[in-house]
Amino acid sequence: MRTMKEIVTAEPLPPAPGAEQYPALDLANSTIALPGGHCIDLLGTPGAAEQWLVDRGLAPADTGMMEMCTTLLRSLREQVRALLAAHTAGLPAPAGALTAVNNALTRAPAASLLHWDPTRGLYRETAHPVTQIVEHALAVLAADAADLLTGPDAERLTACGSAPCNRYLLRHGRRHWCSIRCGDRARAARAYARRTRPTTD
């Protein structure tokens, strides 16, 4: 029997503002809390995680993701989420999250290596076993998270203001919602609270 995480592979919401510009923000938002206590994990299976990377140009098709590599990607997501949560709350960055992001930043080789082949002669090429593909993707995502958190857009980072949504976005003006659906839900909740507020004589 398949789980909900395996059944749902398409994102139920459009990307949050800023997620198309910052892949790390998109990564942080790849676990989605829905009303009724449901949650969709876009990295819930190796196949789903591979498709997520392929769709963002971070891995070639047919990479052959295994659970170990998928776990690394999900782990980085949680550390990036911890940094975003601390930043938006005005709290110090968690030391463990900083270490994890810095480790991801330094995992991938920065250059293609020199090789020799009798028919080709000398040539340069980056090896592409699955672990190196994933480590490169992790390094790219970690660098993007660092750029986001230290760049000019850091002050626009905010959490979606519509419970139970757990996504982050770059604020535009006074908008604090990641999607029209969340905005509608927040307005409906405020209207309901006004209607049910006890009146004082």
Side-chain angles (χ1 to χ4, degrees):
M1 181 176 176
R2 294 192 301 172
T3 67
M4 178 184 173
K5 289 181 180 180
E6 293 172 322
I7 292 169
V8 182
T9 56
E11 188 170 353
L13 293 169
E20 291 178 331
Q21 181 183 355
Y22 290 100
L25 188 57
D26 205 16
L27 175 69
N29 290 338
S30 63
T31 178
I32 304 165
L34 299 173
H38 299 290
C39 182
I40 295 172
D41 188 349
L42 301 179
L43 311 178
T45 66
E50 179 174 320
Q51 191 60 53
W52 190 92
L53 290 173
V54 170
D55 289 347
R56 286 147 187 86
L58 293 170
D62 302 319
T63 292
M65 286 274 285
M66 304 296 283
E67 183 58 38
M68 180 185 74
C69 292
T70 306
T71 299
L72 291 174
L73 187 59
R74 287 194 295 256
S75 177
L76 179 63
R77 175 182 63 193
E78 295 314 306
Q79 303 307 327
V80 169
R81 286 186 60 81
L83 290 171
L84 295 180
H87 178 82
T88 56
L91 299 172
L98 286 175
T99 299
V101 169
N102 284 332
N103 284 344
L105 274 168
T106 56
R107 280 179 94 133
S112 55
L113 302 179
L114 190 62
H115 299 274
W116 166 260
D117 181 84
T119 56
R120 293 175 63 184
L122 283 169
Y123 66 98
R124 291 184 71 182
E125 184 176 78
T126 303
H128 284 295
V130 174
T131 52
Q132 287 192 324
I133 291 171
V134 173
E135 285 179 353
H136 174 73
L138 293 175
V140 169
L141 291 164
D144 190 69
D147 289 344
L148 172 59
L149 288 162
T150 60
D153 286 328
E155 63 186 29
R156 296 171 51 212
L157 263 174
T158 189
C160 182
S162 176
C165 186
N166 63 339
R167 300 205 304 170
Y168 293 93
L169 63 138
L170 293 184
R171 187 173 54 250
H172 292 281
R174 299 178 62 189
R175 177 177 170 175
H176 287 258
W177 305 300
C178 71
S179 65
I180 292 172
R181 188 167 78 180
C182 279
D184 290 345
R185 193 163 56 227
R187 283 188 285 270
R190 283 203 305 269
Y192 177 78
R194 283 195 299 270
R195 286 196 309 271
T196 58
R197 186 179 300 139
T199 57
T200 56
D201 294 328

